[in-house]
Amino acid sequence: VAPSNIKVMMSLGDSMSAGFGLEGLEGGIDEYRGQVFQLGGDDNATTLFNFMKHYSPSVFGASHGSHLVELPGEGYYDNDVLNAAQSNAASGTSEFKHQLDHILTTMQAQKTIDMQKDWKFLNILMGANTVCPLCDGDMNDIDKVVDDYETYMNNAIQFAYENFPKTIVNIIPMFNLTGIYNLTQHHDYCFVFHKVIPIECPCAFTSNETKRLLADVILTKFRERVIKISREWKEKALPEFTVIYQTYSFGLRIPSLDFLSTLDCFHPNKLAHQSLAVATWNSLFLSLAQKPRSWNPSDKLVCPTESSRISTV
């Protein structure tokens, strides 16, 4: 499938895919959906959608502009379009169903979309809000958490298979969280913010190193399940549906606070979103063996050739 073949782009996710905190303190608790790295469609925004639009001018689905934070189960704003991500969403049945239902309803109402013939591209970045709260507990049910993650992810993909013909599912596995703690502990604002408001991702800011490392273990297991899910779907050898994943998040390390929101020292800021868009785009055209296993924010955008295809192997 060439970039020019993609006619619809969609996203499932949480606050990272909704653009929460993207503009830092100045942006308050708004979501800047037009700038998010997967599906942002603002003019001149450095996003995966806009890269795809260069080759497929009529591609549909981008979110635009900004609005107040949107929580799981709430109604969608018109400018969300097919960016169904909602802040604080975890990888559970109800969150996935609500987001998928929104995408399906929106696509069915769009007369320019041919559901049977148009190629679609579905991004999924979920998992942080499944892991983040665990550090407030005893973390004894790791195996169940991981098994449930695989089940919910597979159920979401099955829904896509049954309702979104001709789709490439692109999973961006969640990266480890411990690096955030190391970056922020010696920054006065970040330290005080998370002492005063200790509800945002306890696993990233707890002083309990054992729990932080356990959180990374769980996220590593999530990535292993993503590999398993992708392999199982590819083994079905479906001619017009597949599941791919990008490996740069496996070894992703945030180099400095320059890439984190000045609002909460946790969410990726605009610079990070731009770099993630480039990393995702570049990786799309590489085979699994060629894909990078780490994130280099200084990587330059690679322009595909006429013969380039989105790699599904």
Side-chain angles (χ1 to χ4, degrees):
V1 179
S4 58
N5 297 133
I6 302 296
K7 303 303 179 185
V8 182
M9 293 183 70
M10 314 162 274
S11 279
L12 304 175
D14 52 33
S15 53
M16 292 189 185
S17 301
F20 181 83
L22 188 148
E23 290 288 359
L25 278 168
E26 291 183 3
I29 59 171
D30 282 358
E31 297 170 344
Y32 285 81
R33 292 181 174 244
Q35 300 283 336
V36 294
F37 77 94
Q38 308 101 313
L39 223 62
D42 283 359
D43 291 344
N44 300 316
T46 302
T47 68
L48 189 64
F49 180 90
N50 281 345
F51 299 156
M52 199 76 76
K53 187 178 180 181
H54 179 78
Y55 299 92
S56 181
S58 63
V59 64
F60 176 80
S63 49
H64 296 272
S66 63
H67 58 62
L68 191 64
V69 62
E70 182 181 296
L71 298 175
E74 292 183 352
Y76 285 89
Y77 290 79
D78 290 343
N79 57 327
D80 293 338
V81 195
L82 296 182
N83 182 358
Q86 294 189 311
S87 290
N88 204 40
S91 51
T93 299
S94 61
E95 288 95 333
F96 269 133
K97 184 178 187 309
H98 183 69
Q99 295 188 22
L100 287 162
D101 284 346
H102 166 73
I103 288 175
L104 180 59
T105 301
T106 304
M107 276 203 292
Q108 289 174 334
Q110 186 66 23
K111 295 180 180 179
T112 60
I113 295 176
D114 188 323
M115 292 291 289
Q116 299 303 316
K117 296 181 179 180
D118 287 344
W119 272 103
K120 306 165 194 68
F121 192 87
L122 173 62
N123 298 284
I124 305 178
L125 171 54
M126 290 278 257
N129 290 316
T130 302
V131 174
C132 280
L134 297 178
C135 290
D136 279 339
D138 53 22
M139 303 183 80
N140 287 333
D141 295 324
I142 289 178
D143 289 342
K144 183 179 186 307
V145 170
V146 176
D147 288 343
D148 286 349
Y149 176 81
E150 179 183 353
T151 298
Y152 299 146
M153 185 71 78
N154 248 329
N155 288 346
I157 295 169
Q158 182 66 35
F159 181 99
Y161 172 65
E162 293 172 1
N163 293 279
F164 310 153
K166 299 187 76 168
T167 293
I168 296 173
V169 178
N170 177 47
I171 303 175
I172 302 168
M174 183 59 195
F175 54 88
N176 286 356
L177 294 167
T178 51
I180 295 176
Y181 177 88
N182 296 330
L183 279 176
T184 59
Q185 282 310 289
H186 301 294
H187 187 281
D188 290 343
Y189 171 80
C190 299
F191 181 81
V192 172
F193 181 91
H194 287 282
K195 286 294 183 184
V196 175
I197 310 175
I199 59 173
E200 187 179 56
C201 199
C203 280
F205 298 99
T206 178
S207 59
N208 187 320
E209 183 179 14
T210 300
K211 287 191 173 183
R212 291 200 311 273
L213 293 175
L214 267 176
D216 282 355
V217 167
I218 296 171
L219 288 166
T220 300
K221 290 179 180 293
F222 279 8
R223 294 192 289 272
E224 291 170 353
R225 296 301 176 94
V226 166
I227 294 172
K228 177 174 179 280
I229 289 167
S230 176
R231 183 181 67 247
E232 290 173 350
W233 277 94
K234 286 179 180 177
E235 287 172 352
K236 298 176 189 288
L238 301 166
E240 296 183 333
F241 188 93
T242 194
V243 179
I244 63 175
Y245 59 94
Q246 307 311 324
T247 58
Y248 67 81
S249 65
F250 285 26
L252 189 151
R253 297 290 183 270
I254 302 166
S256 72
L257 287 172
D258 292 339
F259 293 88
L260 295 178
S261 172
T262 54
L263 173 67
D264 60 6
C265 311
F266 176 71
H267 285 88
N269 62 14
K270 187 175 180 177
L271 178 63
H273 275 273
Q274 292 172 339
S275 297
L276 291 169
V278 171
T280 306
W281 175 260
N282 290 350
S283 188
L284 286 183
F285 304 99
L286 301 174
S287 69
L288 189 57
Q290 296 171 317
K291 291 182 188 295
R293 262 57 179 180
S294 60
W295 176 50
N296 182 357
S298 63
D299 280 349
K300 303 301 182 183
L301 185 68
V302 175
C303 295
T305 65
E306 190 174 328
S307 61
S308 296
R309 296 295 183 267
I310 296 171
S311 179
T312 58
V313 296

